[in-house]
Amino acid sequence: MLRTVAFLLLMASTNLASAQVLTPDEILAMVNKKVENSGPYAELLNDPDPARQLAAIEIMMGTKDSSLVAMAARAGFLSTDPDVRQKTLEGYLATGPSISIIVDGSAAESSWYESSMKEAGAAVSPEGVAGVTYAVGDYDTEKKCYLFVGGSANDCFLKVSNAGVEATAPGGYFKLQGSLSEAGMIEGFASVYNTAGGFPSTIQLLP
């Protein structure tokens, strides 16, 4: 144990010594540069005209630049205009992100809950909280849903409508229905195969 601690301390001191030491002025200059760089984008994304705001969001998402896509998505998710929020969500999903789903099954009384969530690829904690990440695939215009990356063409993953979002796990082991919250996440409840009750759930859209 002592050898391990000593080794970790040695590695930490070595890393600190080899790392560049920044002065407060240098840090301030870096902060100012970052704010200046994001400033013009923030002004475009905060345009009070929903049409102009949405146009900026769509253009920035179209660049495929991960930082611009995330910046645009955050602005759109937090918009006060419901049309902007929905179209931002649709545009973001079209970029093919990986999204994380959390299902709180701590109140589940059936052993089917854990086995069903594991069949869906989720990791389940001893408390019954399950988490899984899926990659969003192409949009199927006939089925009007987003598919799984690498999944069957018959497997609808996400459906987005004015009523909210519906997510179905591979094999149908759980289904989540929710809506975009002010926190920029999908919040709702999930039903799990062969398990009674609905379980509080969230979809984390952004990394």
Side-chain angles (χ1 to χ4, degrees):
M1 178 65 180
L2 289 176
R3 289 181 181 179
T4 302
V5 172
F7 175 75
L8 292 174
L9 289 173
L10 176 61
M11 290 297 293
S13 63
T14 302
N15 290 337
L16 287 173
S18 61
Q20 179 184 3
V21 178
L22 298 175
T23 66
D25 289 341
E26 289 173 329
I27 294 174
L28 178 60
M30 293 171 68
V31 170
N32 289 337
K33 184 177 181 180
K34 187 169 184 178
V35 171
E36 289 171 3
N37 290 340
S38 63
Y41 296 115
E43 291 179 10
L44 293 169
L45 294 171
N46 292 325
D47 195 300
D49 182 348
R52 291 179 61 84
Q53 182 191 33
L54 181 59
I57 290 169
E58 291 174 340
I59 291 171
M60 288 174 65
M61 284 189 175
T63 66
K64 306 299 183 181
D65 180 284
S66 58
S67 60
L68 292 183
V69 169
M71 191 184 303
R74 286 191 181 93
F77 292 158
L78 300 177
S79 174
T80 56
D81 188 285
D83 188 51
V84 171
R85 287 200 303 272
Q86 179 170 336
K87 289 184 177 177
T88 298
L89 177 59
E90 293 171 349
Y92 179 68
L93 294 176
T95 66
S98 292
I99 60 176
S100 299
I101 300 177
I102 303 296
V103 178
D104 183 358
S106 56
E109 297 180 353
S110 171
S111 60
W112 279 96
Y113 168 81
E114 183 174 355
S115 60
S116 295
M117 294 305 296
K118 287 183 176 180
E119 286 290 341
V124 184
S125 74
E127 294 75 26
V129 178
V132 62
T133 298
Y134 299 126
V136 180
D138 294 333
Y139 184 78
D140 188 311
T141 55
E142 292 185 2
K143 295 184 175 65
K144 296 183 179 180
C145 67
Y146 296 89
L147 307 175
F148 289 95
V149 169
S152 166
N154 296 321
D155 290 339
C156 271
F157 175 25
L158 293 166
K159 291 184 177 181
V160 180
S161 67
N162 291 331
V165 177
E166 180 180 280
T168 304
Y173 285 102
F174 71 83
K175 180 176 290 185
L176 186 158
Q177 292 183 317
S179 57
L180 187 62
S181 71
E182 294 181 355
M185 298 186 295
I186 305 298
E187 298 181 351
F189 289 87
S191 57
V192 179
Y193 175 73
N194 219 20
T195 305
F199 306 99
S201 305
T202 59
I203 300 179
Q204 183 71 45
L205 297 168
L206 295 169

